[in-house]
Amino acid sequence: MAAWDLSVTVEDLGPDAPPVTISVASDLHVGGVILKLVEKTQIKRDWSDHALWWEQKQRWLLRTAWTLEKYGIHADARLLFMPQHKPLKLGLPNGKTLRLRACFSNPVFQTVTGICRQLNIRHPEELSLLRPVEEKKKKKDKDAAEEIYDLTEVPLSSVSRPSLYNGMPAHFADSPQMEEIYKMLSATQPPPAPEVIAKQYRPASVVDKAHIHGRWLDSSRCLMQQGIQENDRLWLRFKYYSFYDIEPKYDAVRLSQLYEQARWAILLEDIDCTEEEMMLFGALQYHISKVSQSEPQMVSSNSAAMDDLESALLSLEVKMEGESSSASEMLENMTAPELNDYLKIFRPKRLTLKGYKQYWFKFQDTSICYFKSKEESIGEPIQQINLKGCEVAPDVNVAAQKFLIRLLIPAPEGMNEVYLRCENEQQYAQWMAACRLGSKGKTLADSSYQSEIQSIRSFLAMQKTSSGSHGNATASDESINTHSLVSPRYHKKYKTKQLTPRILDAYQNVAQLSLTDAVMRFLQIWQALPDFGLSFFVVRFKGSRKDEVLGIAPNRLIRIDLGVGDVVKTWRYNNMKQWNVNWDIRQMAIEFEGNVNIAFGCVTADCKIVHEFIGGYIFMSTRSREKSDTLNEELFHKLTGGHEAL
């Protein structure tokens, strides 16, 4: 084969160095090219992380056994020889910035896995990288350089499978500086100053939120292909709000970063909550910050093995006790108990002003039926609602004695919404627990029914403001910066002296919680908010003349009217038969059971991002305990990539 000259720019020689020219033939493989380059540069160093990047085609030449001919490389190819791992500035959910070496040649999915391994975050599939939103900068701030925590010295070999030492990856135990970084990652941050909150970007509308969600990187392409350069800044965030197997013993970093992401979502009003909920969130933040000063780490993993043994013994004990129950008890458990009571029902339809009507309700197996009165409950019900697969959301305001259960019931053309109104806490706790079990396909005979009632009641107790003198006593002797604990809307609405007693009242109910329990409780309440886990995109539905919003949640798609902000339709993933993308016209088409077809083009984001969100949530639902250690990356790309990834 005829020899010809190939010019390659070697990054390590510096930006002004001329390209290195080597003599090659078309049947020379990429590994041979690299060998010739290294010999010609005469630099003694470890080149194992280096690879060739083909600039015109925007691709890495990672298959070193492929020949130049097979790749289609000729003398005019602009090739760069450089490391695959380069420094990246990473904005964390807690607002801190890390500098670490990330892989620029693997798909982003693998790059994130590598980053999470380095930071000791389990289940990296829930996170991803996005381009940051520009923050409002004041002239004065220009001089204040931000603090950057540097992890670029961590050897790459230790990242591939870091060994744990005292519960943290060994590379964090190397020096006091590294230990400090781990502390920053795994401990919750103190409440931010009100001026810091005010400086952050706050999405003013659903469209603003949609623009942020348009910034996610494509998981199936590498950083270089998406225009990310060395030392660029990206955000690491939880992308899929489907958190699997949270275990405080092993998840110190994951839990603390998840808490920070939730806290900022609430402080910047990225997710709506009621005033009562905001006071409770404020009280929990105050408590978490107070407790974390005395017990800085969530859980030290030294005792993890001991705890495992204890919990195994405990569950054995419970099993032994459970097995020795009497025959009468077993009979009692086999016949499912019933719930009967008068409740009020309301079906919100557009332009109706009819209020709640009272009926006699009966809960049996996994469904609710209702009758005009108790006397007529022997006959046919007015309607029977099967709860299996439906969504149950609380709408409660204890102070105003409002106890609503919102049911979203799957139907072929979308979701039907029904509100049940309870009279008091007792009734609400029983019916809410029943609905939650019913939605999972469980009856009232299930052992978790009583504990579900208990957790609902303790949740309500936390929202109760404890009136009485002791509330004011604490207010006077505790200095509390309330404007660091609530969103800016409340800074304008209330003075500090009005907020303090309300937050401290809510604080009475959570003051006994440990740090881990308080963080878990904060996340539970966040996950119970009606808008939790929604990512928004502006889309144009086929056949429609105006832009609308598509909300993507862990278990459903929501069509939202942009003008009014009302939910028009809801479709659940478990009714989905197939979905595909026409890449030429960038349009997504989805088919649901019952011959329901929808199609839309994306306005604020590439349709690959939307496709990836839907496929990603379906991937999240396939994870199971047995396979929890190994990630099926191939399945992830199959579900999220469309034909492009293949």
Side-chain angles (χ1 to χ4, degrees):
M1 276 222 167
W4 43 277
D5 284 349
L6 182 63
S7 296
V8 181
T9 305
V10 179
E11 204 178 73
D12 294 65
L13 297 176
D16 304 325
V20 174
T21 305
I22 52 173
S23 174
V24 298
S26 297
D27 62 349
L28 180 65
H29 51 71
V30 170
V33 173
I34 291 174
L35 198 65
K36 285 192 168 203
L37 270 175
V38 169
E39 281 168 0
K40 194 140 187 197
T41 56
Q42 294 183 335
I43 301 173
K44 287 265 183 287
R45 57 157 299 170
D46 176 6
W47 294 96
S48 60
D49 188 44
H50 281 58
L52 289 166
W53 166 256
W54 186 2
E55 206 172 288
Q56 292 107 316
K57 293 274 186 189
Q58 291 283 296
R59 67 182 290 192
W60 287 90
L61 311 181
L62 296 177
R63 300 180 181 218
T64 48
W66 277 26
T67 61
L68 295 176
E69 188 174 33
K70 190 162 185 181
Y71 265 121
I73 288 173
H74 304 293
D76 60 352
R78 284 199 302 279
L79 297 183
L80 277 88
F81 186 54
M82 58 184 171
Q84 297 173 59
H85 285 79
K86 298 169 172 225
L88 197 61
K89 283 192 198 125
L90 210 56
L92 298 173
N94 66 1
K96 303 286 183 199
T97 302
L98 272 181
R99 195 159 162 270
L100 47 71
R101 278 192 292 168
C103 184
F104 275 64
S105 60
N106 282 339
V108 164
F109 185 86
Q110 281 179 25
T111 302
V112 172
T113 304
I115 290 171
C116 288
R117 217 176 268 145
Q118 203 168 335
L119 306 183
N120 200 21
I121 298 175
R122 296 191 316 141
H123 298 294
E125 67 277 11
E126 296 165 1
L127 297 95
S128 193
L129 299 170
L130 76 163
R131 294 182 169 86
V133 176
E134 294 309 311
E135 289 165 14
K136 295 182 278 194
K137 283 259 186 286
K138 302 245 175 29
K139 284 209 171 84
K140 287 189 297 224
D141 292 353
K142 277 197 180 140
D143 315 330
E146 63 166 342
E147 185 180 3
I148 292 183
Y149 295 85
D150 199 340
L151 285 181
T152 48
E153 294 308 308
V154 174
L156 293 175
S157 55
S158 74
V159 174
S160 53
R161 235 326 63 116
S163 52
L164 294 184
Y165 168 82
N166 264 358
M168 63 181 174
H171 53 258
F172 284 112
D174 287 349
S175 67
Q177 290 85 354
M178 294 297 271
E179 277 193 33
E180 270 310 298
I181 295 180
Y182 192 73
K183 209 163 159 189
M184 174 277 293
L185 290 169
S186 57
T188 54
Q189 297 298 312
E195 50 273 22
V196 174
I197 300 176
K199 226 172 36 191
Q200 300 285 331
Y201 172 75
R202 263 200 348 272
S205 64
V206 176
V207 178
D208 284 357
K209 291 177 190 175
H211 280 290
I212 294 176
H213 289 295
R215 293 168 170 270
W216 288 104
L217 294 186
D218 184 337
S219 295
S220 43
R221 289 159 65 221
C222 72
L223 291 175
M224 286 286 283
Q225 286 170 323
Q226 301 184 62
I228 307 297
Q229 302 293 321
E230 185 173 333
N231 277 321
D232 274 2
R233 189 187 174 85
L234 290 173
W235 282 354
L236 178 72
R237 293 288 185 272
F238 288 87
K239 175 179 181 178
Y240 297 104
Y241 292 91
S242 160
F243 312 119
Y244 184 73
D245 180 30
I246 289 186
E247 186 52 78
K249 279 204 293 262
Y250 311 114
D251 284 332
V253 179
R254 182 178 173 214
L255 254 181
S256 123
Q257 297 302 326
L258 188 53
Y259 162 72
E260 293 288 344
Q261 187 162 328
R263 182 214 331 234
W264 279 106
I266 284 151
L267 287 179
L268 300 177
E269 291 169 14
D270 199 17
I271 183 168
D272 289 333
C273 64
T274 64
E275 203 162 296
E276 270 68 30
E277 285 160 343
M278 184 59 86
M279 297 308 141
L280 185 49
F281 281 130
L284 278 164
Q285 285 181 73
Y286 173 59
H287 178 59
I288 288 166
S289 137
K290 213 169 143 185
V291 182
S292 59
Q293 286 160 12
S294 54
E295 44 169 304
Q297 222 125 42
M298 290 222 209
V299 170
S300 87
S301 295
N302 263 2
S303 56
M306 214 46 220
D307 291 353
D308 281 351
L309 185 64
E310 272 173 37
S311 63
L313 286 169
L314 198 72
S315 69
L316 186 68
E317 228 169 276
V318 172
K319 270 204 190 108
M320 304 279 278
E321 277 174 22
E323 281 161 11
S324 61
S325 57
S326 65
S328 59
E329 273 175 27
M330 283 164 77
L331 264 174
E332 207 173 287
N333 287 343
M334 278 160 69
T335 53
E338 281 184 18
L339 262 184
N340 299 297
D341 216 338
Y342 277 109
L343 300 174
K344 289 180 177 159
I345 188 169
F346 170 56
R347 298 176 163 281
K349 284 207 173 65
R350 289 184 160 191
L351 308 171
T352 55
L353 296 168
K354 292 195 182 98
Y356 287 85
K357 288 181 82 172
Q358 183 165 298
Y359 293 100
W360 177 257
F361 278 80
K362 208 172 192 167
F363 191 105
Q364 227 172 343
D365 292 333
T366 59
S367 60
I368 287 179
C369 45
Y370 59 94
F371 308 84
K372 265 203 167 138
S373 65
K374 185 178 180 177
E375 292 70 42
E376 294 181 28
S377 63
I378 307 152
E380 280 291 301
I382 297 170
Q383 193 198 1
Q384 181 165 0
I385 303 169
N386 187 10
L387 294 173
K388 205 171 172 181
C390 84
E391 262 169 67
V392 186
D395 187 355
V396 174
N397 181 340
V398 180
Q401 287 293 296
K402 169 181 153 193
F403 302 103
L404 288 188
I405 301 171
R406 282 175 54 193
L407 298 176
L408 281 167
I409 299 142
E413 69 284 354
M415 300 284 262
N416 294 330
E417 205 169 3
V418 173
Y419 288 25
L420 301 182
R421 185 165 205 141
C422 303
E423 284 303 306
N424 51 42
E425 272 179 54
Q426 175 67 22
Q427 194 185 43
Y428 169 78
Q430 288 178 333
W431 284 86
M432 184 66 178
C435 290
R436 279 188 183 159
L437 288 180
S439 71
K440 294 175 191 155
K442 295 175 180 174
T443 68
L444 301 188
D446 194 85
S447 57
S448 61
Y449 179 51
Q450 287 307 326
S451 63
E452 187 69 57
I453 292 180
Q454 216 31 59
S455 81
I456 292 168
R457 294 184 75 162
S458 68
F459 185 73
L460 293 175
M462 282 166 64
Q463 285 201 25
K464 258 194 224 140
T465 50
S466 44
S467 52
S469 56
H470 61 283
N472 302 336
T474 34
S476 57
D477 58 40
E478 301 214 26
S479 57
I480 165 173
N481 188 353
T482 51
H483 285 175
S484 295
L485 305 171
V486 295
S487 68
R489 190 188 337 169
Y490 297 98
H491 304 184
K492 298 187 185 95
K493 195 170 174 185
Y494 297 112
K495 295 189 172 72
T496 302
K497 62 171 185 277
Q498 292 170 298
L499 280 172
T500 304
R502 293 189 62 185
I503 289 180
L504 285 173
D505 265 348
Y507 168 66
Q508 302 295 326
N509 302 312
V510 298
Q512 279 69 48
L513 294 175
S514 72
L515 178 60
T516 308
D517 287 347
V519 168
M520 292 297 271
R521 190 60 60 88
F522 190 97
L523 294 174
Q524 275 168 354
I525 302 169
W526 172 54
Q527 289 179 50
L529 296 175
D531 291 347
F532 165 76
L534 279 177
S535 305
F536 298 104
F537 299 92
V538 177
V539 298
R540 176 74 61 93
F541 279 91
K542 193 175 176 181
S544 168
R545 290 189 168 174
K546 58 180 201 268
D547 288 350
E548 288 172 82
V549 172
L550 181 74
I552 301 181
N555 53 2
R556 66 196 191 280
L557 297 176
I558 302 167
R559 182 175 183 171
I560 300 167
D561 183 312
L562 235 180
V564 202
D566 285 355
V567 173
V568 183
K569 279 257 186 299
T570 306
W571 302 280
R572 294 178 64 86
Y573 298 150
N574 54 12
N575 292 340
M576 217 191 236
K577 284 171 81 171
Q578 61 168 338
W579 80 101
N580 47 50
V581 182
N582 180 334
W583 294 108
D584 300 327
I585 56 170
R586 316 298 284 177
Q587 188 183 64
M588 270 195 81
I590 306 176
E591 185 190 337
F592 294 95
E593 284 167 8
N595 290 332
V596 176
N597 291 293
I598 62 170
F600 55 83
C602 307
V603 181
T604 51
D606 189 283
C607 70
K608 170 68 168 76
I609 294 179
V610 178
H611 183 282
E612 196 175 296
F613 254 102
I614 296 171
Y617 274 128
I618 290 166
F619 173 77
M620 299 299 147
S621 69
T622 64
R623 298 177 292 178
S624 68
R625 274 247 184 264
E626 302 79 69
K627 297 180 289 197
S628 65
D629 284 350
T630 50
L631 255 187
N632 188 343
E633 194 188 330
E634 194 185 330
L635 179 64
F636 178 85
H637 288 306
K638 219 177 198 168
L639 289 170
T640 59
H643 72 73
E644 291 202 323
L646 311 171

